[in-house]
């Protein structure tokens, strides 16, 4: 988080909105200096200036439409407690985690499915890839809640983990390193497995990936759906038909690639062989 003086130049701009992400990770003495901005007559003291400059709405150096927003995650590692003085001066909106209430049964209807479908917009098989990621995340969170998987200390398991994996999958696909399914599975495993120390528990994650590949069954689906952001003037059938003929011929290869592309990266022949069997290709 920058020092208050670094943001001071924008306070007089009309309609400016500033977002301070993870406000509680900044040093408390820096955050406390913002308290005066939340008063009825906001001011900001810039002690970095030798003349002790003071910005205020009355002097015109703080625009009437200026707004300041902040986000805060109390459970974040190394975060500080936000003072009561600051909390009493702001409007607080508490949000549930993005993956709250997520289960395998409601994975395809959960809000995360819509977020991932938009993230994979324009990718053939994007809806299936979104379902794969959400189902895998639901399986891992359920295993952690049941005590089957124990995370390393300090490793956060949140919806951001899945969103980070989805971004990694898109990067793999953009670099043409592997097929879409293999890219998604590779990104999920490389994101989640480092948080698990036990080899047996890592195998559980491999099995969860295998189950996610199988449901939805990417090897036998009649159509490979492509989510779109609703291009104006485009018919639905034209959007779904784009590139479908060429992709249908690759469906079987996608599932095979999802398994065998990961085998060299998994430490231990036994674990790799077990994963291949779970997906459905014997070694």
């Amino acid at each position: 988080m920058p020092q208050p003086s670094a943001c001071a130049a924008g306070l007089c701009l009309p309609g400016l909105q500033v977002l301070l992400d993870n406000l509680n990770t900044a040093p408390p003495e820096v955050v406390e200096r913002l308290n005066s901005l939340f008063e009825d007559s906001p001011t900001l003291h810039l002690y970095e200036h030798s003349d002790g400059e003071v910005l205020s709405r009355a002097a015109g150096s703080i625009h009437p439409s200026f707004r300041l927003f902040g986000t805060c995650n109390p459970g974040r590692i190394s975060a500080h407690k936000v003072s009561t003085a600051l909390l009493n001066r702001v409007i607080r909106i508490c949000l549930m985690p993005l993956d709250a209430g997520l289960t395998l049964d409601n994975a395809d209807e959960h809000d995360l499915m819509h977020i991932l479908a938009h993230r994979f917009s324009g990718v053939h098989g994007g809806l299936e890839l979104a379902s794969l990621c959400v189902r895998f995340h639901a399986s891992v969170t359920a295993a952690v809640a049941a005590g089957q998987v124990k995370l390393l200390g300090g490793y956060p398991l949140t919806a951001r983990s899945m969103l980070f994996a989805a971004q990694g999958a898109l990067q793999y696909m953009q670099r043409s390193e592997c097929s879409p399914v293999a890219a998604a599975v590779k990104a999920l495993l490389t994101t989640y497995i480092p948080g698990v120390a036990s080899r047996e528990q890592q195998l559980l994650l491999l099995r969860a990936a295998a189950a996610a590949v199988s449901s939805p069954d990417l090897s036998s689906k009649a159509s490979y759906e492509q989510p779109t952001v609703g291009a104006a003037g485009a018919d639905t059938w034209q959007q779904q038909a784009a590139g479908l003929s060429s992709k249908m011929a690759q469906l079987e290869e996608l599932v095979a690639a999802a398994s065998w592309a990961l085998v060299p990266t998994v430490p231990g022949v036994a674990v790799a062989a077990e994963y291949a069997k779970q997906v459905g290709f014997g070694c």
Side-chain angles (χ1 to χ4, degrees):
M1 175 178 170
Q3 292 288 332
S5 58
C7 304
L11 294 180
C12 60
L13 298 178
L16 182 68
Q17 299 177 355
V18 175
L19 171 63
L20 301 178
D21 194 18
N22 293 314
L23 179 67
N24 57 331
T25 59
E29 60 272 16
V30 175
V31 177
E32 290 304 302
R33 289 182 57 187
L34 300 177
N35 286 347
S36 58
L37 277 175
F38 303 115
E39 301 289 350
D40 292 336
S41 299
T43 60
L44 181 64
H45 296 261
L46 301 181
Y47 300 112
E48 291 81 0
H49 290 210
S50 58
D51 55 356
E53 183 180 1
V54 178
L55 306 180
S56 68
R57 181 177 296 174
S61 50
I62 298 180
H63 197 274
S65 63
F66 170 75
R67 298 293 183 268
L68 180 62
F69 300 88
T71 65
C72 174
N73 181 3
R76 189 180 179 91
I77 299 175
S78 301
H80 304 285
K81 183 179 179 180
V82 179
S83 69
T84 303
L86 177 60
L87 294 177
N88 288 339
R89 287 172 165 83
V90 299
I91 298 175
R92 284 179 280 174
I93 301 176
C94 299
L95 302 176
M96 296 293 292
L98 286 177
D99 55 358
L102 175 65
T103 66
L104 281 173
D105 294 333
N106 66 7
D108 289 338
E109 292 78 33
H110 196 274
D111 289 344
L112 277 180
M113 180 64 183
H114 301 292
I115 295 174
L116 262 292
H118 186 272
R119 184 67 62 91
F120 286 119
S121 177
V123 178
H124 285 282
L127 292 178
E128 285 78 6
L129 294 178
S131 180
L132 188 159
C133 294
V134 176
R135 287 178 176 275
F136 177 79
H137 183 75
S139 298
V140 175
T141 53
V144 172
Q148 298 174 330
V149 172
K150 185 176 181 181
L151 300 175
L152 293 173
Y155 182 85
L157 178 62
T158 66
R160 285 194 177 189
S161 304
M162 186 190 60
L163 296 175
F164 180 81
Q167 185 62 34
L170 289 172
Q171 292 176 356
Y172 290 142
M173 286 183 274
Q174 290 172 357
R175 295 196 294 262
S176 300
E177 294 186 3
C178 48
S179 64
V181 175
V185 176
K186 180 179 178 180
L188 287 169
L189 293 181
T190 54
T191 300
Y192 286 74
I193 281 185
V196 179
S198 167
R199 181 66 58 84
E200 292 74 15
Q201 294 178 8
Q202 290 178 353
L203 181 57
L204 287 177
L205 298 192
L206 293 173
R207 289 173 176 167
V213 170
S214 301
S215 180
D217 187 355
L218 299 183
S219 63
S220 62
K221 191 168 181 64
S223 63
Y224 211 49
E225 299 181 57
Q226 175 182 1
T228 64
V229 293
D235 293 331
T236 302
W237 73 268
Q238 290 176 326
Q239 297 175 1
Q240 295 178 346
L244 182 61
S245 58
S246 61
K247 292 298 180 181
M248 285 295 293
Q250 301 176 15
L251 283 178
E252 185 175 350
E253 297 178 2
L254 292 178
V255 181
S259 300
W260 298 114
L262 288 169
V263 169
T265 67
V266 179
V269 177
V271 175
E274 178 67 19
Y275 169 68
K277 292 177 183 178
Q278 289 291 327
V279 175
F281 298 91
C283 296

